[in-house]
Amino acid sequence: MSTTYAPTDAVRCSRWAREAGLQPIGTAGSYRGFLLVETPLPWPRDVGEIGSLAAIGSRPGWRLQALVPASLDAPAAQRRVILHRRADGDDWFAGYSRISAEHGASLPDAVSSLAGASGSEPDIDLLVCTHGRRDVCCGSLGTDLALQLAARDATAGVRFWRTSHTGGHRFAATFMVLPQGTGWAFAGVELVDQVLARSVPFAQIADHYRGCAGLAGPQVQVMEREALIRENWELLDTRRRGFATGETTSDGGRVYRLEADSSAWEAVIRPGRTMPTPDCMKPLSEAKKSETEWNVSDFRSVS
C-alpha cells in the first residue's frame, strides 16, 4: 500500500521511489571509463574533494569512484587503482577493458601510467554504493547488502567493493558490474547472484535494470533493455551501439536504432513522467533536480 506524502513531508528516497513505481531504466549514466581508487573512509559528500583524488585531475568521460580498501592495514602505496575504459573513437561497446596497479609513490603518476597502458585483466568488479554521507538509503540499504556479500565465501573472479556515489540513490540498494558496465536497482543478495550467474531469464529481473553505462544515453539504454528482454543475456556479450535515426513522429516521439553484431532494432522513444529526485530525508518540495522517464513503442527488428 503506497503512502500519500504532503509536499513538506520528509521522504526516504528509496521507499518513495518504490511506492511511486519509478523506472530505473535509463539512469545508469554514460561514461567512457571508470577510475576506481582505494580510499579509506570517511568520505565527504563529494569524493572529488579528497586531496589525493583531487590531485588526479578530471579526465573527460571518466567517472571517479572511491573504494573502501580491501585491506585496511595496507599502506597507501599498496592500495589499488583500477581503470575500466573503452577504446578511444570506438562507438561500439562490448565491455570496458580493465587494468590495475598499486598507487605507488604518486597516485597521479599511477593513473597516467594506466591511461597509457594496453591489455585487459579478466577480473570482475562489483561495486555496491554505500555512500552514506551522500544519501541515507545508500548508507543503510547499500551497506547492508555489501556486508551480506562480504560475509559469504569468495566468488571466483569477482571482487566485491563498497563504493562512493554511483547516481540513482533513490533506487538503493544499487550496484554496478564492471567491465560489463551494467547498473542495477532495488538490489538484494538474490539479485546479485542472478545477475552474476545469469541464472534466470533477463526478462524476470528487467525491472531492476538501470542500463549499460557504455551506451550513449537513456534512450539507447531503454532500447537495449527491450532487446535484452527478447534476446536474453547473450546480447551483453556482443558489440552494440545505439543512436537516433533523425526520424520523428507527429506526437514528438523520436526513432532510435540499436545495432548489435548480427541484429538491429528500431523503436519510437517518447518522454514519460518527469519526476523529482529528492534528497533522502528531505521533502519532495525541496528537490533540486528531476528526471524524465522514457517509454518505448513500436519496437521491431530491422535488417
Side-chain angles (χ1 to χ4, degrees):
M1 182 176 180
S2 63
T3 303
T4 300
Y5 294 97
T8 55
D9 289 342
V11 299
R12 280 194 172 271
C13 63
S14 182
R15 177 181 175 182
W16 171 78
R18 290 173 186 265
E19 292 177 342
L22 294 194
Q23 301 176 27
I25 186 60
T27 66
S30 298
Y31 304 100
R32 298 206 64 83
F34 287 83
L35 182 62
L36 318 177
V37 183
E38 286 191 291
T39 307
L41 296 170
W43 300 328
R45 179 178 172 83
D46 181 356
V47 296
E49 297 174 355
I50 299 172
S52 60
L53 301 187
I56 297 171
S58 61
R59 303 270 179 154
W62 289 12
R63 184 177 180 94
L64 176 65
Q65 296 290 147
L67 305 176
V68 174
S71 174
L72 300 180
D73 297 328
Q78 294 178 13
R79 296 180 191 134
R80 306 299 296 179
V81 53
I82 304 166
L83 176 62
H84 290 267
R85 65 175 181 183
R86 58 187 302 172
D88 292 336
D90 187 359
D91 60 351
W92 290 88
F93 183 79
Y96 298 97
S97 295
R98 181 191 194 273
I99 192 166
S100 66
E102 292 184 346
H103 282 214
S106 168
L107 179 57
D109 287 348
V111 172
S112 294
S113 177
L114 289 181
S118 59
S120 184
E121 302 163 347
D123 301 64
I124 294 170
D125 295 299
L126 191 144
L127 280 55
V128 179
C129 180
T130 62
H131 198 163
R133 189 72 64 86
R134 186 67 175 251
D135 182 81
V136 173
C137 287
C138 292
S140 57
L141 298 175
T143 299
D144 285 348
L145 174 58
L147 292 176
Q148 290 179 64
L149 294 172
R152 305 193 314 170
D153 292 337
T155 302
V158 180
R159 296 170 180 256
F160 294 98
W161 301 97
R162 292 172 57 187
T163 193
S164 57
H165 182 59
T166 58
H169 54 78
R170 61 201 177 281
F171 302 116
T174 64
F175 69 91
M176 290 197 66
V177 181
L178 295 170
Q180 187 181 84
T182 57
W184 300 88
F186 302 133
V189 170
E190 181 180 24
L191 181 65
V192 171
D193 290 342
Q194 290 168 337
V195 169
L196 289 177
R198 301 183 178 183
S199 57
V200 297
F202 178 88
Q204 185 174 321
I205 55 176
D207 288 345
H208 292 271
Y209 191 45
R210 295 184 61 201
C212 176
L215 297 180
Q219 297 92 337
V220 177
Q221 292 172 7
V222 170
M223 279 281 295
E224 185 209 35
R225 189 187 76 156
E226 293 301 311
L228 279 163
I229 288 171
R230 292 160 175 79
E231 302 295 324
N232 213 5
W233 296 99
E234 289 73 19
L235 181 63
L236 294 178
D237 301 325
T238 67
R239 296 188 320 139
R240 55 208 190 279
R241 65 178 180 179
F243 50 89
T245 67
E247 298 177 63
T248 60
T249 63
S250 59
D251 61 353
R254 299 184 69 186
V255 177
Y256 279 79
R257 183 181 179 95
L258 178 70
E259 297 178 344
D261 281 334
S262 58
S263 303
W265 304 267
E266 288 186 355
V268 177
I269 309 294
R270 297 179 177 86
R273 300 182 299 177
T274 296
M275 301 293 284
T277 56
D279 288 331
C280 205
M281 302 309 297
K282 291 188 177 180
L284 293 173
S285 59
E286 295 183 12
K288 297 180 177 63
K289 298 179 181 179
S290 61
E291 192 152 24
T292 298
E293 298 178 335
W294 297 94
N295 297 327
V296 183
S297 64
D298 304 316
F299 187 92
R300 60 197 181 278
S301 296
V302 295
S303 58

